[in-house]
Amino acid sequence: MIHVNQDVFYLSTQNTSYIFRVSQTGHLESLYYGRKIPFQNDFSFLGNNLRTGYGNTVAYSQADTSMSLEHLRLEYSTFGKGDYKEPSIQVEHPDSCYVSDFKYRSYEILKEKYYPAGLPSSYGDKAETLLVTVHDKALNADLNLYYTVFETCDVIVRSCKLINKGDSSFKIHNLMSAQVDLPPQDYTMLTFDGAWIRERHKNEKTLSCGTYSISSNIGTSSNRHNPFFALKEPECTEHNGNCYGFNLIYSGNHMARVEVSPHNITRIQNGINPFEFEWNLEAGQSFDTPESVMTFSSNGLNGMSQNMHKFVQDHIVRGEWQYKERPILVNNWEATYFFFNEKKILKLVDEAKSIGAEMFVLDDGWFGKRNNDKCSLGDWYVNTKKLPHGIDGLCKKVNAKGMMFGLWVEPEMVSPDSDLYRAHPDWAVTTDKYVPSQGRNQFVLDLTRDDVCDYLIDAMTNVFSMANIEYIKWDMNRHLSDIYSRQSGAHMGEFFHRYTLGLYRILDELVKRFPKILFESCSSGGNRFDLGMFCYMPQTWASDDTDSLERVKIQAGTSYGYPPSVIAAHVSGSPSYAAMRASDIENRFNVAAFGLLGYELDVTQLGKFDKSAIKKQIAYYKAHRKLFQFGKFIRLTDCFKSNVTYWQVVNKEQTESVLFHHINRHQVSEQTPYVKFAGLKEDSMYSVIVRQQGLSLKTFGEIIPSKIPGVEEDGALYTKVTDTIGLKTEKQSISPVSGEALMYAGFLPKLQFNGGGFSLTETRFMLDNSSRLYLAKEEAKQ
Ligand code: GLA
């Protein structure tokens, strides 16, 4: 709801309120953002009262010498008029003056949501948008501030548009998407940082006077610092307390900054990274910022995450696949790398089909002369040595076996050894001034150029039309460097943003041309995991790291801002090539099940034990797929702080839930904690059943061979037997049990292995890096 009363703007969602007003000086003053409070005519009691007409404070005007912009909590701050905190807008007038002062001009409640030009954005028929225009007289520019209210997910989306109303151009050095100034209060900031194969690990810092910022300058949103971040009050936990979440609908260089001022105002800003950014705004032109997303929850970090999850599902992801259950795929990358031919692929496809997978994805290596990563990016024609019947021939065979077919591409790149580069060396992002640096032996194509974007739209249209391709993995495997466009008249301060706009134009067109294709975004794993990409592609490959222990952290960190329905998660071989850590096949599945399941290992080489385990996993996932992909996700514990991780997904009706219980390291001679569910109906009765997993004989090391004469632990017979035969993990079921009991008392899992004297049917062998899934199902009412 949006309500305007004279100079007060009151925005509310189901559970939050956001209030600001026009100050006496004509600036927009923030009054409140937090738990919902009712509208009332006078909110002046929320305004600032710190006044200092003494010392070195600068008074905004001589009309009231005690009033300084430094002490107002502002909706959007400028430079040069007395507020010394970081500004949200920095412009350079034609005469090189850097001062600006935007004051209230008008407001309007828009009938339709505002969509920033050229940028992906949130959408929603019922969303109301408030437009408040502030104006700088000297610059002769309007700044439109947009606020869209998404009531049911407690989200407010903001963006700005700067309009040059004068006769000459001026420069923009910085234009944030949003600013929130909060009153004195201690906060802890949560950011999600990492690197390749270690994406989105949660980091917490206690904020005190000073500035903390996260940003990207690599050209994409990056695995360094995800654009999602949060602020929580010190006592806020996963389940209780006040916290805020922020994100940006943008895939290029971003920045988020939190400043605690010496006067205890906490200023939060996010937007395009001002680093190396300088935009020439011509007379009559305008500039739109990406949308900034913000939410508040008084139900702890899970409340905040659930708001963001709902928002992503309902107002970011769109099209054919928005709510459609995603197919279980087998991808050949870790099974074959570049070394395959049609025969080998078809063998994989047969095995994929026999374990129950629904789609086969052909990864890198199908085009040009691509037998390693040193050539052929840009040459998007089939390598007929490997695939004599082309992609179409292969796809038909895959389809004939009753499976969908998907393909990998990396369109934004060009290999120096490629026909494309030989024909268009000027299309690569390089400069003659320096020997250009390569990443994974490749250059980035200059998407600031229209001709390059047009070429890519055509090239990808050809690829996507080659066959009945139902899924595309769109990869992007290096950071940008040697930033320079060889296009005449190009201005390098605009390069990064124009690259991102070029990418969006390509994606927008391709998604329109191929509305049925399921697109998965990838950038060496999760190097471009952001809301901008999700507006075009409903899912992203979370990380090249599929080691189950690492994945617990990567998926948990990701879950703070993003729902399982966008997180692609695969089971790959053991040991994992990313961490060189062995882990059992069941644990790898249990972790991947809390995302979009796939298998990325050589399914033709599976022993009987693993194959039978995988078949059962796929059947289990299919039976609960909607729950795993679209259920409400809950973090019961914080895996960054604890040895034990519990996650849960619960369906909308609260009739079904799966709980994930994982341990990093098992401890003998210790009481097992009771397992408590959340999110069930208190007064319903449930049954709880553990998923019985395969238990490899190898678990027992020499214990079993020592009991059988002639069998040695590393002997051929033993290996054959252990690859073929497996035991089953403990059985446990509890029923009937009330929702109240499951949530407040919990239940005790079967007795954990605790030194000798175990029973193969009763003991719970949950060893290092292992897990269980417990399914709770509502029982029919008598
Ligand atoms: C990147 C991706 C991988 C795989 C390879 C292929 O590393 O993240 O999943 O597709 O490229 O070259």
Side-chain angles (χ1 to χ4, degrees):
M1 177 180 128
I2 297 172
H3 197 84
V4 183
N5 181 32
Q6 291 176 2
D7 58 353
V8 173
F9 300 90
Y10 170 92
L11 282 62
S12 69
T13 64
Q14 236 164 43
N15 302 295
T16 69
S17 301
Y18 187 90
I19 311 170
F20 60 98
R21 70 173 173 186
V22 182
S23 75
Q24 276 171 4
T25 51
H27 298 93
L28 297 181
E29 180 188 4
S30 310
L31 293 179
Y32 177 74
Y33 185 29
R35 194 185 175 119
K36 191 167 188 165
I37 54 174
F39 174 79
Q40 60 184 68
N41 280 330
D42 182 8
F43 277 115
S44 55
F45 61 93
L46 289 172
N48 158 68
N49 64 5
L50 182 60
R51 290 175 169 262
T52 45
Y54 43 82
N56 46 18
T57 306
V58 170
Y60 176 70
S61 127
Q62 286 308 99
D64 178 355
T65 54
S66 70
M67 212 300 289
S68 170
L69 290 184
E70 182 154 32
H71 301 314
L72 282 192
R73 297 198 307 277
L74 294 165
E75 279 298 292
Y76 209 81
S77 64
T78 61
F79 168 76
K81 296 301 294 169
D83 176 16
Y84 294 95
K85 292 182 286 309
E86 295 281 354
S88 283
I89 178 168
Q90 286 167 279
V91 286
E92 184 181 338
H93 295 240
D95 68 353
S96 192
C97 169
Y98 279 68
V99 179
S100 63
D101 189 18
F102 285 86
K103 303 223 279 189
Y104 177 69
R105 173 170 262 182
S106 60
Y107 83 91
E108 197 184 335
I109 297 175
L110 304 181
K111 296 214 168 55
E112 282 186 5
K113 185 188 173 287
Y114 179 70
Y115 292 94
L119 288 161
S121 57
S122 55
Y123 68 99
D125 296 345
K126 293 194 190 115
E128 275 186 302
T129 299
L130 169 69
L131 158 62
V132 180
T133 302
V134 289
H135 179 73
D136 185 312
K137 238 183 178 169
L139 188 66
N140 199 3
D142 275 354
L143 181 65
N144 285 353
L145 307 178
Y146 300 94
Y147 300 79
T148 299
V149 175
F150 292 99
E151 295 225 26
T152 53
C153 41
D154 288 328
V155 161
I156 296 175
V157 166
R158 296 172 58 180
S159 70
C160 315
K161 179 193 185 107
L162 183 60
I163 308 154
N164 184 347
K165 303 214 127 186
D167 304 326
S168 36
S169 66
F170 62 80
K171 285 183 188 138
I172 310 171
H173 293 290
N174 170 25
L175 192 67
M176 290 286 97
S177 295
Q179 171 179 325
V180 181
D181 278 5
L182 296 172
Q185 163 68 49
D186 289 340
Y187 289 109
T188 301
M189 184 178 182
L190 276 54
T191 56
F192 299 87
D193 320 290
W196 178 61
I197 60 174
R198 184 173 49 79
E199 291 90 342
R200 293 172 300 284
H201 276 219
K202 175 163 73 79
N203 287 303
E204 296 191 6
K205 28 256 122 208
T206 307
L207 297 177
S208 64
C209 198
T211 303
Y212 192 89
S213 78
I214 50 163
S215 64
S216 156
N217 57 9
I218 67 161
T220 66
S221 50
S222 93
N223 47 26
R224 310 311 209 219
H225 304 287
N226 193 267
F228 174 79
F229 66 102
L231 254 65
K232 69 178 192 81
E233 294 183 5
E235 59 280 5
C236 171
T237 65
E238 287 286 357
H239 306 284
N240 295 299
N242 294 335
C243 53
Y244 300 87
F246 299 90
N247 210 337
L248 193 69
I249 307 181
Y250 193 57
S251 313
N253 289 349
H254 67 93
M255 198 261 291
R257 185 165 52 202
V258 182
E259 179 178 2
V260 180
S261 81
H263 299 99
N264 273 351
I265 289 174
T266 299
R267 171 164 296 174
I268 302 153
Q269 292 158 316
N270 64 353
I272 297 173
N273 190 355
F275 175 78
E276 299 288 343
F277 174 83
E278 187 186 81
W279 193 274
N280 222 20
L281 195 64
E282 303 290 342
Q285 301 278 302
S286 59
F287 183 92
D288 275 292
T289 70
E291 289 187 333
S292 166
V293 179
M294 53 192 209
T295 190
F296 168 84
S297 175
S298 54
N299 297 322
L301 294 167
N302 273 306
M304 171 202 74
S305 296
Q306 282 151 17
N307 292 348
M308 284 295 187
H309 293 185
K310 190 166 165 42
F311 172 73
V312 173
Q313 279 171 351
D314 295 351
H315 304 292
I316 292 289
V317 176
R318 60 205 74 193
E320 176 88 7
W321 287 93
Q322 182 176 10
Y323 300 115
K324 214 164 157 179
E325 292 179 28
R326 311 291 163 75
I328 299 164
L329 64 86
V330 165
N331 174 306
N332 73 309
W333 177 241
E334 290 188 27
T336 65
Y337 295 101
F338 297 102
F339 315 111
F340 59 82
N341 53 30
E342 194 187 82
K343 204 170 146 205
K344 200 165 178 185
I345 292 296
L346 288 173
K347 262 190 168 174
L348 279 171
V349 174
D350 281 336
E351 283 305 309
K353 175 77 187 164
S354 79
I355 55 174
E358 297 152 322
M359 178 162 75
F360 177 79
V361 176
L362 183 62
D363 211 280
D364 197 355
W366 60 266
F367 52 90
K369 297 176 292 163
R370 185 109 166 142
N371 295 319
N372 54 45
D373 62 11
K374 291 196 170 59
C375 70
S376 300
L377 289 170
D379 297 345
W380 298 110
Y381 42 82
V382 184
N383 179 329
T384 45
K385 276 198 186 136
K386 290 184 190 177
L387 302 173
H389 306 102
I391 290 293
D392 186 38
L394 176 63
C395 176
K396 282 193 174 118
K397 288 177 189 156
V398 174
N399 288 168
K401 292 177 196 291
M403 292 185 81
M404 298 162 75
F405 179 79
L407 195 64
W408 178 97
V409 289
E410 193 179 357
E412 294 157 74
M413 298 293 151
V414 63
S415 306
D417 179 8
S418 67
D419 294 343
L420 183 69
Y421 186 70
R422 283 182 280 273
H424 298 284
D426 55 324
W427 282 9
V429 180
T430 57
T431 154
D432 291 334
K433 292 188 175 59
Y434 302 92
V435 176
S437 302
Q438 299 182 24
R440 211 189 183 205
N441 314 304
Q442 60 205 46
F443 295 137
V444 182
L445 284 172
D446 182 359
L447 302 197
T448 70
R449 297 174 65 132
D450 279 346
D451 52 355
V452 175
C453 295
D454 291 340
Y455 158 78
L456 278 181
I457 292 171
D458 286 349
M460 286 305 117
T461 300
N462 287 339
V463 171
F464 302 168
S465 317
M466 275 190 307
N468 180 27
I469 296 171
E470 295 180 82
Y471 160 105
I472 286 290
K473 178 174 172 189
W474 181 293
D475 212 337
M476 198 283 189
N477 277 318
R478 62 158 289 184
H479 306 331
L480 275 67
S481 71
D482 299 272
I483 309 306
Y484 191 74
S485 173
R486 291 162 187 271
Q487 189 169 218
S488 77
H491 172 40
M492 291 318 126
E494 300 182 355
F495 182 88
F496 281 116
H497 186 54
R498 286 200 185 275
Y499 180 93
T500 311
L501 292 177
L503 171 68
Y504 288 151
R505 180 163 82 80
I506 296 168
L507 297 182
D508 194 53
E509 186 56 37
L510 289 172
V511 165
K512 274 188 197 131
R513 287 189 191 181
F514 298 93
K516 291 206 177 313
I517 289 183
L518 169 60
F519 284 94
E520 177 166 317
S521 164
C522 173
S523 180
S524 302
N527 194 34
R528 194 161 59 184
F529 198 108
D530 60 66
L531 296 180
M533 293 309 283
F534 288 128
C535 288
Y536 305 101
M537 306 196 174
Q539 57 191 63
T540 295
W541 179 224
S543 175
D544 278 351
D545 194 341
T546 42
D547 169 64
S548 50
L549 191 59
E550 295 295 322
R551 269 285 177 146
V552 170
K553 285 197 180 136
I554 292 169
Q555 290 175 211
T558 308
S559 78
Y560 282 85
Y562 307 89
S565 60
V566 302
I567 303 174
H570 297 175
V571 173
S572 58
S574 174
S576 112
Y577 91 96
M580 230 9 131
R581 186 175 5 241
S583 68
D584 93 84
I585 188 86
E586 298 289 21
N587 186 51
R588 278 175 271 155
F589 164 73
N590 291 346
V591 180
F594 282 76
L596 307 169
L597 181 68
Y599 287 80
E600 194 150 340
L601 72 179
D602 191 347
V603 282
T604 62
Q605 298 300 313
L606 295 172
K608 255 194 170 168
F609 171 78
D610 280 356
K611 187 167 174 180
S612 133
I614 290 179
K615 276 187 175 171
K616 288 181 190 134
Q617 294 168 358
I618 291 183
Y620 190 84
Y621 188 80
K622 282 181 181 165
H624 307 290
R625 175 173 9 206
K626 195 166 172 211
L627 178 61
F628 279 123
Q629 298 187 347
F630 293 98
K632 185 203 264 192
F633 179 87
I634 307 172
R635 288 175 306 274
L636 296 161
T637 50
D638 179 353
C639 72
F640 293 95
K641 291 185 179 154
S642 148
N643 183 44
V644 185
T645 299
Y646 299 106
W647 295 335
Q648 221 187 306
V649 277
V650 190
N651 69 352
K652 215 165 148 202
E653 300 75 27
Q654 298 168 283
T655 53
E656 203 176 294
S657 174
V658 175
L659 184 143
F660 169 72
H661 173 197
H662 177 270
I663 52 171
N664 297 343
R665 195 177 157 274
H666 89 104
Q667 182 62 59
V668 287
S669 268
E670 195 179 79
Q671 293 277 3
T672 299
Y674 283 66
V675 176
K676 290 180 187 168
F677 277 81
L680 303 179
K681 289 188 274 190
E682 288 191 343
D683 51 359
S684 283
M685 299 306 286
Y686 292 86
S687 62
V688 176
I689 182 159
V690 70
R691 184 177 86 85
Q692 239 196 327
Q693 303 176 174
L695 178 64
S696 168
L697 284 174
K698 284 180 189 150
T699 313
F700 299 92
E702 62 176 16
I703 301 176
I704 289 189
S706 67
K707 303 229 159 33
I708 313 171
V711 176
E712 291 157 32
E713 193 195 337
D714 49 2
L717 180 59
Y718 180 67
T719 306
K720 191 153 188 216
V721 169
T722 50
D723 278 352
T724 312
I725 309 169
L727 302 171
K728 280 187 176 161
T729 53
E730 80 284 357
K731 263 189 179 169
Q732 186 174 14
S733 61
I734 308 159
S735 134
V737 52
S738 71
E740 271 174 312
L742 280 177
M743 292 193 287
Y744 310 131
F747 70 93
L748 193 56
K750 276 275 164 80
L751 181 68
Q752 166 71 334
F753 171 75
N754 193 27
F758 57 84
S759 141
L760 279 177
T761 51
E762 288 299 307
T763 306
R764 183 166 49 94
F765 290 96
M766 242 177 106
L767 308 176
D768 290 358
N769 184 28
S770 68
S771 53
R772 291 289 184 271
L773 300 183
Y774 292 96
L775 171 71
K777 249 189 135 149
E778 187 181 25
E779 301 215 315
K781 290 210 165 84
Q782 301 297 322

PDB file of all heavy atoms in Angstrom, residues 333 338 363-364 370 408 440 473 475 477 522 524-525 541 544 600, ligand 1:
ATOM      1  N   TRP A 333      30.302 -33.327 -18.560  1.00  0.00           N
ATOM      2  CA  TRP A 333      31.582 -32.624 -18.386  1.00  0.00           C
ATOM      3  C   TRP A 333      32.588 -33.423 -17.553  1.00  0.00           C
ATOM      4  O   TRP A 333      33.656 -33.786 -18.015  1.00  0.00           O
ATOM      5  CB  TRP A 333      31.327 -31.225 -17.796  1.00  0.00           C
ATOM      6  CG  TRP A 333      32.591 -30.458 -17.527  1.00  0.00           C
ATOM      7  CD1 TRP A 333      33.036 -29.989 -16.334  1.00  0.00           C
ATOM      8  CD2 TRP A 333      33.589 -30.075 -18.493  1.00  0.00           C
ATOM      9  NE1 TRP A 333      34.239 -29.342 -16.476  1.00  0.00           N
ATOM     10  CE2 TRP A 333      34.606 -29.381 -17.795  1.00  0.00           C
ATOM     11  CE3 TRP A 333      33.734 -30.246 -19.863  1.00  0.00           C
ATOM     12  CZ2 TRP A 333      35.743 -28.872 -18.416  1.00  0.00           C
ATOM     13  CZ3 TRP A 333      34.878 -29.740 -20.492  1.00  0.00           C
ATOM     14  CH2 TRP A 333      35.859 -29.061 -19.773  1.00  0.00           C
ATOM     15  N   PHE A 338      36.817 -33.022 -22.690  1.00  0.00           N
ATOM     16  CA  PHE A 338      36.704 -32.771 -24.135  1.00  0.00           C
ATOM     17  C   PHE A 338      36.735 -34.061 -24.961  1.00  0.00           C
ATOM     18  O   PHE A 338      36.611 -34.026 -26.174  1.00  0.00           O
ATOM     19  CB  PHE A 338      37.861 -31.877 -24.589  1.00  0.00           C
ATOM     20  CG  PHE A 338      37.842 -30.508 -23.950  1.00  0.00           C
ATOM     21  CD1 PHE A 338      38.687 -30.194 -22.890  1.00  0.00           C
ATOM     22  CD2 PHE A 338      36.970 -29.528 -24.398  1.00  0.00           C
ATOM     23  CE1 PHE A 338      38.674 -28.941 -22.305  1.00  0.00           C
ATOM     24  CE2 PHE A 338      36.951 -28.269 -23.819  1.00  0.00           C
ATOM     25  CZ  PHE A 338      37.801 -27.971 -22.765  1.00  0.00           C
ATOM     26  N   ASP A 363      28.126 -30.932 -22.730  1.00  0.00           N
ATOM     27  CA  ASP A 363      28.874 -29.753 -22.256  1.00  0.00           C
ATOM     28  C   ASP A 363      29.910 -29.331 -23.295  1.00  0.00           C
ATOM     29  O   ASP A 363      29.803 -29.663 -24.485  1.00  0.00           O
ATOM     30  CB  ASP A 363      29.488 -30.080 -20.876  1.00  0.00           C
ATOM     31  CG  ASP A 363      29.609 -28.864 -19.981  1.00  0.00           C
ATOM     32  OD1 ASP A 363      30.581 -28.110 -20.175  1.00  0.00           O
ATOM     33  OD2 ASP A 363      28.743 -28.656 -19.105  1.00  0.00           O
ATOM     34  N   ASP A 364      30.918 -28.645 -22.856  1.00  0.00           N
ATOM     35  CA  ASP A 364      31.968 -28.073 -23.706  1.00  0.00           C
ATOM     36  C   ASP A 364      32.613 -29.129 -24.623  1.00  0.00           C
ATOM     37  O   ASP A 364      32.727 -30.287 -24.244  1.00  0.00           O
ATOM     38  CB  ASP A 364      33.034 -27.502 -22.755  1.00  0.00           C
ATOM     39  CG  ASP A 364      33.964 -26.548 -23.439  1.00  0.00           C
ATOM     40  OD1 ASP A 364      33.858 -26.395 -24.660  1.00  0.00           O
ATOM     41  OD2 ASP A 364      34.791 -25.945 -22.740  1.00  0.00           O
ATOM     42  N   ARG A 370      37.615 -27.933 -30.866  1.00  0.00           N
ATOM     43  CA  ARG A 370      37.755 -27.811 -29.407  1.00  0.00           C
ATOM     44  C   ARG A 370      38.065 -29.160 -28.742  1.00  0.00           C
ATOM     45  O   ARG A 370      37.160 -29.884 -28.303  1.00  0.00           O
ATOM     46  CB  ARG A 370      36.462 -27.211 -28.854  1.00  0.00           C
ATOM     47  CG  ARG A 370      36.520 -26.912 -27.367  1.00  0.00           C
ATOM     48  CD  ARG A 370      36.575 -25.461 -27.091  1.00  0.00           C
ATOM     49  NE  ARG A 370      36.297 -25.169 -25.693  1.00  0.00           N
ATOM     50  CZ  ARG A 370      36.940 -24.209 -25.024  1.00  0.00           C
ATOM     51  NH1 ARG A 370      37.865 -23.481 -25.613  1.00  0.00           N
ATOM     52  NH2 ARG A 370      36.623 -23.977 -23.763  1.00  0.00           N
ATOM     53  N   TRP A 408      25.725 -26.910 -24.076  1.00  0.00           N
ATOM     54  CA  TRP A 408      26.567 -25.879 -23.452  1.00  0.00           C
ATOM     55  C   TRP A 408      27.045 -24.881 -24.491  1.00  0.00           C
ATOM     56  O   TRP A 408      27.435 -25.270 -25.600  1.00  0.00           O
ATOM     57  CB  TRP A 408      27.765 -26.576 -22.814  1.00  0.00           C
ATOM     58  CG  TRP A 408      28.794 -25.697 -22.158  1.00  0.00           C
ATOM     59  CD1 TRP A 408      28.873 -25.402 -20.828  1.00  0.00           C
ATOM     60  CD2 TRP A 408      29.933 -25.055 -22.769  1.00  0.00           C
ATOM     61  NE1 TRP A 408      29.978 -24.612 -20.576  1.00  0.00           N
ATOM     62  CE2 TRP A 408      30.648 -24.380 -21.750  1.00  0.00           C
ATOM     63  CE3 TRP A 408      30.406 -24.971 -24.083  1.00  0.00           C
ATOM     64  CZ2 TRP A 408      31.811 -23.646 -21.999  1.00  0.00           C
ATOM     65  CZ3 TRP A 408      31.566 -24.223 -24.320  1.00  0.00           C
ATOM     66  CH2 TRP A 408      32.261 -23.568 -23.289  1.00  0.00           C
ATOM     67  N   ARG A 440      41.751 -18.331 -18.950  1.00  0.00           N
ATOM     68  CA  ARG A 440      41.442 -19.634 -19.547  1.00  0.00           C
ATOM     69  C   ARG A 440      41.717 -19.623 -21.057  1.00  0.00           C
ATOM     70  O   ARG A 440      40.908 -20.100 -21.841  1.00  0.00           O
ATOM     71  CB  ARG A 440      39.981 -20.020 -19.267  1.00  0.00           C
ATOM     72  CG  ARG A 440      39.816 -21.529 -19.171  1.00  0.00           C
ATOM     73  CD  ARG A 440      38.374 -21.943 -19.110  1.00  0.00           C
ATOM     74  NE  ARG A 440      38.283 -23.383 -18.944  1.00  0.00           N
ATOM     75  CZ  ARG A 440      37.253 -24.116 -19.315  1.00  0.00           C
ATOM     76  NH1 ARG A 440      36.191 -23.554 -19.847  1.00  0.00           N
ATOM     77  NH2 ARG A 440      37.254 -25.406 -19.122  1.00  0.00           N
ATOM     78  N   LYS A 473      23.010 -24.332 -21.308  1.00  0.00           N
ATOM     79  CA  LYS A 473      23.892 -23.868 -20.221  1.00  0.00           C
ATOM     80  C   LYS A 473      24.757 -22.762 -20.807  1.00  0.00           C
ATOM     81  O   LYS A 473      25.594 -23.013 -21.680  1.00  0.00           O
ATOM     82  CB  LYS A 473      24.740 -25.039 -19.737  1.00  0.00           C
ATOM     83  CG  LYS A 473      25.749 -24.692 -18.647  1.00  0.00           C
ATOM     84  CD  LYS A 473      26.419 -25.972 -18.147  1.00  0.00           C
ATOM     85  CE  LYS A 473      27.578 -25.721 -17.213  1.00  0.00           C
ATOM     86  NZ  LYS A 473      28.324 -26.964 -16.922  1.00  0.00           N
ATOM     87  N   ASP A 475      27.572 -20.282 -20.418  1.00  0.00           N
ATOM     88  CA  ASP A 475      28.743 -20.142 -19.546  1.00  0.00           C
ATOM     89  C   ASP A 475      29.477 -18.836 -19.819  1.00  0.00           C
ATOM     90  O   ASP A 475      29.291 -18.207 -20.875  1.00  0.00           O
ATOM     91  CB  ASP A 475      29.666 -21.344 -19.791  1.00  0.00           C
ATOM     92  CG  ASP A 475      30.428 -21.757 -18.539  1.00  0.00           C
ATOM     93  OD1 ASP A 475      30.591 -20.913 -17.644  1.00  0.00           O
ATOM     94  OD2 ASP A 475      30.870 -22.912 -18.481  1.00  0.00           O
ATOM     95  N   ASN A 477      33.494 -17.769 -18.726  1.00  0.00           N
ATOM     96  CA  ASN A 477      34.555 -18.329 -17.895  1.00  0.00           C
ATOM     97  C   ASN A 477      35.760 -17.452 -17.594  1.00  0.00           C
ATOM     98  O   ASN A 477      36.814 -17.984 -17.260  1.00  0.00           O
ATOM     99  CB  ASN A 477      35.041 -19.638 -18.517  1.00  0.00           C
ATOM    100  CG  ASN A 477      34.130 -20.790 -18.117  1.00  0.00           C
ATOM    101  OD1 ASN A 477      33.721 -20.888 -16.970  1.00  0.00           O
ATOM    102  ND2 ASN A 477      33.792 -21.637 -19.063  1.00  0.00           N
ATOM    103  N   CYS A 522      25.840 -19.846 -15.992  1.00  0.00           N
ATOM    104  CA  CYS A 522      27.022 -20.426 -15.352  1.00  0.00           C
ATOM    105  C   CYS A 522      28.165 -19.467 -15.620  1.00  0.00           C
ATOM    106  O   CYS A 522      28.218 -18.843 -16.675  1.00  0.00           O
ATOM    107  CB  CYS A 522      27.303 -21.793 -15.984  1.00  0.00           C
ATOM    108  SG  CYS A 522      28.847 -22.558 -15.447  1.00  0.00           S
ATOM    109  N   SER A 524      32.041 -20.121 -14.668  1.00  0.00           N
ATOM    110  CA  SER A 524      32.983 -20.944 -13.888  1.00  0.00           C
ATOM    111  C   SER A 524      32.300 -21.326 -12.582  1.00  0.00           C
ATOM    112  O   SER A 524      32.843 -21.111 -11.494  1.00  0.00           O
ATOM    113  CB  SER A 524      34.272 -20.195 -13.584  1.00  0.00           C
ATOM    114  OG  SER A 524      34.891 -19.785 -14.756  1.00  0.00           O
ATOM    115  N   GLY A 525      31.102 -21.822 -12.672  1.00  0.00           N
ATOM    116  CA  GLY A 525      30.304 -22.058 -11.468  1.00  0.00           C
ATOM    117  C   GLY A 525      29.530 -20.790 -11.159  1.00  0.00           C
ATOM    118  O   GLY A 525      28.831 -20.245 -12.010  1.00  0.00           O
ATOM    119  N   TRP A 541      24.198 -22.473 -12.213  1.00  0.00           N
ATOM    120  CA  TRP A 541      25.109 -23.488 -11.681  1.00  0.00           C
ATOM    121  C   TRP A 541      25.851 -22.840 -10.506  1.00  0.00           C
ATOM    122  O   TRP A 541      26.589 -21.880 -10.679  1.00  0.00           O
ATOM    123  CB  TRP A 541      26.061 -23.920 -12.805  1.00  0.00           C
ATOM    124  CG  TRP A 541      27.098 -24.949 -12.483  1.00  0.00           C
ATOM    125  CD1 TRP A 541      28.410 -24.904 -12.853  1.00  0.00           C
ATOM    126  CD2 TRP A 541      26.922 -26.185 -11.782  1.00  0.00           C
ATOM    127  NE1 TRP A 541      29.054 -26.030 -12.416  1.00  0.00           N
ATOM    128  CE2 TRP A 541      28.165 -26.836 -11.752  1.00  0.00           C
ATOM    129  CE3 TRP A 541      25.821 -26.793 -11.156  1.00  0.00           C
ATOM    130  CZ2 TRP A 541      28.356 -28.067 -11.126  1.00  0.00           C
ATOM    131  CZ3 TRP A 541      26.009 -28.018 -10.538  1.00  0.00           C
ATOM    132  CH2 TRP A 541      27.264 -28.643 -10.530  1.00  0.00           C
ATOM    133  N   ASP A 544      31.469 -24.820  -9.367  1.00  0.00           N
ATOM    134  CA  ASP A 544      32.148 -25.987  -9.953  1.00  0.00           C
ATOM    135  C   ASP A 544      32.553 -26.960  -8.850  1.00  0.00           C
ATOM    136  O   ASP A 544      33.061 -28.035  -9.135  1.00  0.00           O
ATOM    137  CB  ASP A 544      33.405 -25.544 -10.711  1.00  0.00           C
ATOM    138  CG  ASP A 544      33.084 -25.036 -12.106  1.00  0.00           C
ATOM    139  OD1 ASP A 544      31.932 -25.191 -12.545  1.00  0.00           O
ATOM    140  OD2 ASP A 544      33.989 -24.470 -12.751  1.00  0.00           O
ATOM    141  N   GLU A 600      26.798 -35.555 -12.577  1.00  0.00           N
ATOM    142  CA  GLU A 600      27.884 -35.086 -13.422  1.00  0.00           C
ATOM    143  C   GLU A 600      29.087 -35.999 -13.194  1.00  0.00           C
ATOM    144  O   GLU A 600      30.127 -35.565 -12.743  1.00  0.00           O
ATOM    145  CB  GLU A 600      28.192 -33.636 -13.031  1.00  0.00           C
ATOM    146  CG  GLU A 600      29.048 -32.934 -14.017  1.00  0.00           C
ATOM    147  CD  GLU A 600      28.793 -31.438 -14.084  1.00  0.00           C
ATOM    148  OE1 GLU A 600      27.715 -30.970 -13.660  1.00  0.00           O
ATOM    149  OE2 GLU A 600      29.682 -30.748 -14.577  1.00  0.00           O
TER     150      GLU A 600
HETATM  151  C1  GLA B   1      33.107 -24.076 -16.700  1.00  0.00           C
HETATM  152  C2  GLA B   1      31.841 -24.610 -16.088  1.00  0.00           C
HETATM  153  C3  GLA B   1      31.883 -26.115 -16.063  1.00  0.00           C
HETATM  154  C4  GLA B   1      32.052 -26.635 -17.462  1.00  0.00           C
HETATM  155  C5  GLA B   1      33.304 -26.022 -18.093  1.00  0.00           C
HETATM  156  C6  GLA B   1      33.415 -26.390 -19.556  1.00  0.00           C
HETATM  157  O1  GLA B   1      34.202 -24.337 -15.916  1.00  0.00           O
HETATM  158  O2  GLA B   1      31.642 -24.070 -14.817  1.00  0.00           O
HETATM  159  O3  GLA B   1      30.697 -26.634 -15.488  1.00  0.00           O
HETATM  160  O4  GLA B   1      30.926 -26.338 -18.220  1.00  0.00           O
HETATM  161  O5  GLA B   1      33.283 -24.621 -18.002  1.00  0.00           O
HETATM  162  O6  GLA B   1      34.536 -25.831 -20.143  1.00  0.00           O
END
